[in-house]
């Protein structure tokens, strides 16, 4: 429920290069087995470069937010990874 700043560097590069963009989602299936999936994202084409960069950055942030909300256990795993607290295999 709070507004958050979103990095726009990747969106800027994609808009300027007119490069294809994908949301990447890594899902942990079990220890040592993961699934990586990609979802294509449409590039905004308003003709206003700055507005397109901001729109793409917002679309990417919303896509990841949707994934995290739908899969909170996966997000927790990503946070453990980031913090260096790997769960040990049993």
């Amino acid at each position: 429920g709070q507004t958050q700043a979103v990095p726009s560097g990747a969106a800027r590069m994609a808009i300027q290069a007119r490069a294809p963009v994908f949301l990447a989602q890594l899902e942990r299936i079990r220890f040592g087995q993961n699934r990586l999936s990609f979802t294509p994202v449409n590039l905004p084409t308003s003709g206003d470069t700055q507005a397109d960069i901001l729109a793409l950055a917002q679309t990417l942030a919303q896509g990841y937010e949707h994934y995290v909300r739908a899969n909170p256990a996966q997000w927790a795993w990503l946070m453990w990874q980031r913090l260096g607290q790997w769960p040990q295999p049993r």
Side-chain angles (χ1 to χ4, degrees), residues 42-66:
N42 293 325
L43 290 179
T45 56
S46 73
D48 179 341
T49 301
Q50 189 60 31
D52 288 349
I53 290 167
L54 294 175
L56 180 56
Q58 182 178 17
T59 297
L60 294 172
Q62 288 171 339
Y64 285 116
E65 178 183 7
H66 175 74

Side-chain angles (χ1 to χ4, degrees), residues 8-88:
S8 63
R12 179 177 304 282
M13 288 190 303
I15 294 295
Q16 289 175 344
R18 305 305 304 163
V21 175
F22 297 85
L23 280 172
Q25 298 162 331
L26 179 66
E27 177 185 2
R28 182 176 184 187
I29 307 301
R30 60 181 165 267
F31 189 82
Q33 185 178 4
N34 302 300
R35 177 183 301 130
L36 182 59
S37 58
F38 297 92
T39 305
V41 176
N42 293 325
L43 290 179
T45 56
S46 73
D48 179 341
T49 301
Q50 189 60 31
D52 288 349
I53 290 167
L54 294 175
L56 180 56
Q58 182 178 17
T59 297
L60 294 172
Q62 288 171 339
Y64 285 116
E65 178 183 7
H66 175 74
Y67 179 76
V68 168
R69 288 184 186 277
N71 304 283
Q74 296 296 323
W75 174 250
W77 177 76
L78 290 173
M79 291 304 293
W80 294 333
Q81 177 186 13
R82 185 169 184 204
L83 297 173
Q85 299 173 358
W86 286 87
Q88 297 300 313

